[in-house]
Amino acid sequence: MTYSTKPLSCDPARIKGMSERLIVSHYENNYGGAVKRLNLIEEKLAELDYANAAGFLINGLKREQLIAMNSMILHELFFDGLGDESAPGSTLRDVLTRDFGSYERWRSEFVATGKALRGGSGWVLLAWSPRDGKLVNQWASDHCHTLAGGTPILALDMYEHSYHIDFGAKADDYVETFMQAIRWGNADRLFARLNG
């Protein structure tokens, strides 16, 4: 299967607090790069003689496939979640209140997790855990640490490429800006699909 880049789902000129240059660079270089890399890895895997290939070669390619695939998927979720400032719909807000004690407590935990990743790399994901029947804030590193069985509905990219052009080393400012630019309608739609 050949993967292609999904059209940018947010208007990069309208993300309050983030420059069009930042959004376009992130989309083209990091997301687009992940898709290109995934296609190259898929080509190598298609050519591989699994019966005779060394284990380290298979292991390395499968690891890189997972990293590139998750990078592609999480970047799509990240861009889908950006837009004009909004609030979660009543159903999602009620579930956030149920699972975290209050919307404010959820937000505090999500923001603190993002800020804890400053200077490093990774993602903060709001994910649905069907095992526990609840939403969880999840720390993810290296594009491949995700909640087993979980489905993310909101993603905050904390790799430096996602903020350095506009914010330099001020990752905390980026996290606060992201929180003001969440397009909650996307998370509402994804949550409804999981619980419909």
Side-chain angles (χ1 to χ4, degrees):
M1 171 180 198
T2 301
Y3 295 93
S4 56
T5 55
K6 181 180 167 185
L8 188 57
S9 55
C10 63
D11 181 347
R14 295 194 62 218
I15 307 302
K16 185 178 178 183
M18 296 183 203
S19 70
E20 182 173 2
R21 179 177 172 233
L22 172 68
I23 300 296
V24 170
S25 174
H26 190 176
Y27 171 79
E28 290 177 351
N29 297 308
N30 301 99
Y31 167 63
V35 174
K36 289 175 190 169
R37 196 166 133 243
L38 178 58
N39 284 325
L40 291 172
I41 294 164
E42 293 287 331
E43 286 176 21
K44 293 296 180 193
L45 286 169
E47 298 167 357
L48 200 60
D49 175 7
Y50 287 98
N52 296 307
F56 72 87
L57 181 60
I58 297 168
N59 187 49
L61 283 170
K62 293 304 282 184
R63 178 184 181 278
E64 292 302 314
Q65 178 191 38
L66 176 64
I67 291 170
M69 189 171 292
N70 276 357
S71 179
M72 176 184 69
I73 292 167
L74 291 174
H75 274 103
E76 290 170 355
L77 180 60
F78 172 77
F79 291 116
D80 286 349
L82 286 177
D84 294 329
E85 185 174 0
S86 61
S90 61
T91 300
L92 183 54
R93 189 176 185 101
D94 289 347
V95 174
L96 287 167
T97 298
R98 180 196 73 198
D99 294 345
F100 292 91
S102 68
Y103 169 79
E104 293 73 22
R105 175 99 175 135
W106 165 79
R107 186 185 191 288
S108 177
E109 181 182 315
F110 192 88
V111 167
T113 304
K115 290 179 178 181
L117 277 164
R118 68 180 161 263
S121 300
W123 296 85
V124 182
L125 306 173
L126 174 59
W128 173 253
S129 172
R131 178 190 181 274
D132 298 325
K134 69 178 196 170
L135 290 167
V136 297
N137 283 329
Q138 191 231 312
W139 170 94
S141 177
D142 199 21
H143 303 300
C144 60
H145 295 108
T146 57
L147 180 67
T151 303
I153 64 169
L154 179 67
L156 166 58
D157 189 344
M158 285 305 298
Y159 282 82
E160 285 187 344
H161 65 250
S162 64
Y163 60 85
H164 202 269
I165 289 173
D166 286 358
F167 298 92
K170 297 178 180 175
D172 291 6
D173 292 347
Y174 161 71
V175 172
E176 294 295 343
T177 300
F178 172 84
M179 297 306 291
Q180 299 304 312
I182 295 172
R183 181 175 25 182
W184 278 104
N186 188 66
D188 289 333
R189 179 183 56 79
L190 293 173
F191 183 74
R193 188 182 323 155
L194 292 168
N195 293 279

